[in-house]
Amino acid sequence: EANWLKLATNGEGMQAAAQQYEAVNALAHKWDYYMFLNAVNVILKVASVLKMMDFHPDIGMITRTIRKASNDLANYFVVTSIVVTVYAVMAHVFLGDRILAVSTLSKAYTTCMNFMVGEFLDQHEWTRNMNPLAGM
């Protein structure tokens, strides 16, 4: 087995660092999933509170309005999710090998959702992740 970089102990420290990186990366994915579950929990709790407020004539106006607009809201969310998904796939296919923010489909979808709510990447974030050899 070749030791091209002439590393001490045949690169065992590098292998240990790579294992630590993988462990931290797995933990970060678990954290993302945990935060997603927290967001779902908050949405369900807000829906529960709105349902409990339905008995009052004035406060129940919110739930009655949402109930009447539910078909239009569903259509809006379906169309919006289709459009964002198309943009995310295009960003991943065309720019994924050069820009870290769209390097995977989940990152591309998150970036497109951030764009929709007005959170844009600055110029430094776009250019620092570019591969200078990608155009060759």
Side-chain angles (χ1 to χ4, degrees):
E1 189 171 318
N3 188 4
W4 294 2
L5 299 177
K6 308 283 190 261
L7 298 172
T9 67
N10 208 16
E12 291 174 10
M14 294 285 281
Q15 292 172 354
Q19 290 173 350
Q20 287 294 323
Y21 175 78
E22 290 299 323
V24 169
N25 196 17
L27 184 63
H29 286 296
K30 288 179 183 176
W31 180 258
D32 288 342
Y33 183 66
Y34 173 72
M35 294 306 291
F36 170 75
L37 290 178
N38 278 335
V40 170
N41 187 28
V42 168
I43 290 169
L44 291 176
K45 288 296 178 183
V46 167
S48 172
V49 168
L50 287 174
K51 184 174 172 80
M52 286 189 293
M53 293 186 330
D54 196 26
F55 73 94
H56 194 275
D58 293 334
I59 299 175
M61 183 174 26
I62 296 171
T63 55
R64 288 190 301 273
T65 303
I66 292 172
R67 194 176 303 124
K68 286 182 182 178
S70 62
N71 288 337
D72 294 333
L73 288 172
N75 290 334
Y76 168 76
F77 286 120
V78 166
V79 170
T80 301
S81 64
I82 290 171
V83 169
V84 170
T85 302
V86 167
Y87 278 123
V89 169
M90 287 187 343
H92 173 66
V93 168
F94 295 131
L95 301 172
D97 61 338
R98 293 178 293 206
I99 299 175
L100 185 64
V102 292
S103 61
T104 64
L105 278 176
S106 62
K107 286 181 182 180
Y109 193 79
T110 303
T111 301
C112 286
M113 289 302 290
N114 286 341
F115 285 175
M116 279 194 60
V117 297
E119 175 124 359
F120 297 100
L121 298 173
D122 62 355
Q123 184 66 25
H124 177 69
E125 289 184 57
W126 280 106
T127 57
R128 79 181 149 117
N129 299 322
M130 290 182 131
N131 182 358
L133 301 177
M136 293 185 164

